[in-house]
Amino acid sequence: SQKIEQNSEALNIQEGKTATLTCNYTNYSPAYLQWYRQDPGRGPVFLLLIRENEKEKRKERLKVTFDTTLKQSLFHITASQPADSATYLCALQHDDYKLSFGAGTTVTVRA
Amino acid sequence: DTGVSQDPRHKITKRGQNVTFRCDPISEHNRLYWYRQTLGQGPEFLTYFQNEAQLEKSRLLSDRFSAERPKGSFSTLEIQRTEQGDSAMYLCASSLGGQRETQYFGPGTRLLVL
């Protein structure tokens, strides 16, 4: 069966450190992989998209890697800030464009 | 605000009642999606539209659920004979379509079935 697994535990880190989130998947062949941020009671907000033929993508303090051999994506938040505290969702995009989401990892950044 | 809007934001209903939610996508977006999210889980795909055509429905979408997108603009999601298991956040998203399929989500409608 198809599975998308993100860090099962919530992540608590000190301000200024790097948060690293993991997204592993099985029985998928996604064309794209996306990361979204979700704050409590709100809809997800798009952060980054990476294609299957790309190894790494960066946007400001965010970095995403995509290894289709390992079937894994890593999401890094560098120089983390308390405002980065949220749930981060990994989503696999299929050829028919719908998204399949992981359960998310909750990140808390301590000042 | 030119983002995706949803109405109502919250709905409390009694089991067996019908409810209808509305989604207004970003105006130039031709694709519209509905997802359902329960506590501690990621959004689950329900259905999507390309303009006014409903192209795919998840098996999660039982016969009690129906979605429409008349004239390819706003969309409605109706749940008939609600059950307690329908309690969830219902999210709408829209996109331009094409290769860069970034979906823009609305704030969601939180449904509680008593």
Side-chain angles (χ1 to χ4, degrees):
Chain A
S1 62
Q2 295 176 323
K3 279 187 182 177
I4 304 169
E5 292 183 333
Q6 298 189 239
N7 304 50
S8 56
E9 300 293 326
L11 204 57
N12 286 282
I13 59 170
Q14 186 71 38
E15 182 176 10
K17 300 293 185 184
T18 297
T20 298
L21 284 62
T22 303
C23 176
N24 294 296
Y25 60 93
T26 55
N27 295 323
Y28 277 101
S29 296
Y32 308 101
L33 188 145
Q34 302 187 26
W35 285 88
Y36 285 78
R37 170 185 172 138
Q38 187 171 28
D39 291 288
R42 294 177 173 262
V45 174
F46 171 77
L47 295 175
L48 280 168
L49 175 151
I50 187 165
R51 294 179 176 80
E52 59 180 339
N53 60 353
E54 295 177 321
K55 297 293 185 187
E56 183 178 298
K57 206 75 169 284
R58 291 176 185 259
K59 179 183 175 182
E60 298 172 352
R61 294 182 296 107
L62 307 178
K63 185 178 88 170
V64 173
T65 63
F66 192 12
D67 188 326
T68 54
T69 302
L70 291 179
K71 295 187 184 296
Q72 181 181 78
S73 175
L74 298 179
F75 177 81
H76 307 270
I77 308 171
T78 59
S80 59
Q81 304 168 1
D84 296 327
S85 299
T87 296
Y88 292 85
L89 298 162
C90 161
L92 273 57
Q93 181 186 327
H94 311 268
D95 289 340
D96 55 1
Y97 306 120
K98 69 183 181 188
L99 296 176
S100 297
F101 284 88
T105 299
T106 299
V107 174
T108 303
V109 181
R110 303 187 307 276
Chain B
D1 188 341
T2 57
V4 178
S5 61
Q6 292 188 245
D7 184 69
R9 294 291 309 276
H10 304 274
K11 180 71 177 178
I12 300 174
T13 190
K14 292 183 179 178
R15 191 176 52 184
Q17 298 295 305
N18 298 344
V19 294
T20 300
F21 310 142
R22 176 180 172 124
C23 170
D24 286 273
I26 294 171
S27 60
E28 64 269 26
H29 285 187
N30 53 36
R31 287 177 183 255
L32 186 148
Y33 299 78
W34 285 98
Y35 293 84
R36 179 171 68 188
Q37 185 175 26
T38 53
L39 203 60
Q41 299 299 313
E44 294 177 292
F45 169 80
L46 292 178
T47 187
Y48 92 96
F49 293 83
Q50 171 88 25
N51 299 312
E52 67 274 10
Q54 188 174 17
L55 296 187
E56 186 172 346
K57 292 196 292 185
S58 163
R59 54 187 167 79
L60 292 176
L61 216 62
S62 75
D63 291 345
R64 297 183 298 104
F65 288 71
S66 63
E68 293 183 343
R69 192 182 182 197
K71 302 178 184 177
S73 56
F74 71 92
S75 175
T76 58
L77 178 68
E78 181 184 15
I79 309 174
Q80 296 182 327
R81 305 181 303 282
T82 52
E83 301 173 354
Q84 288 183 325
D86 296 331
S87 297
M89 173 81 90
Y90 290 84
L91 293 161
C92 174
S94 70
S95 71
L96 268 173
Q99 290 190 338
R100 282 191 58 87
E101 184 59 8
T102 299
Q103 295 184 18
Y104 296 85
F105 282 81
T109 295
R110 183 166 295 283
L111 173 67
L112 178 61
V113 182
L114 301 175

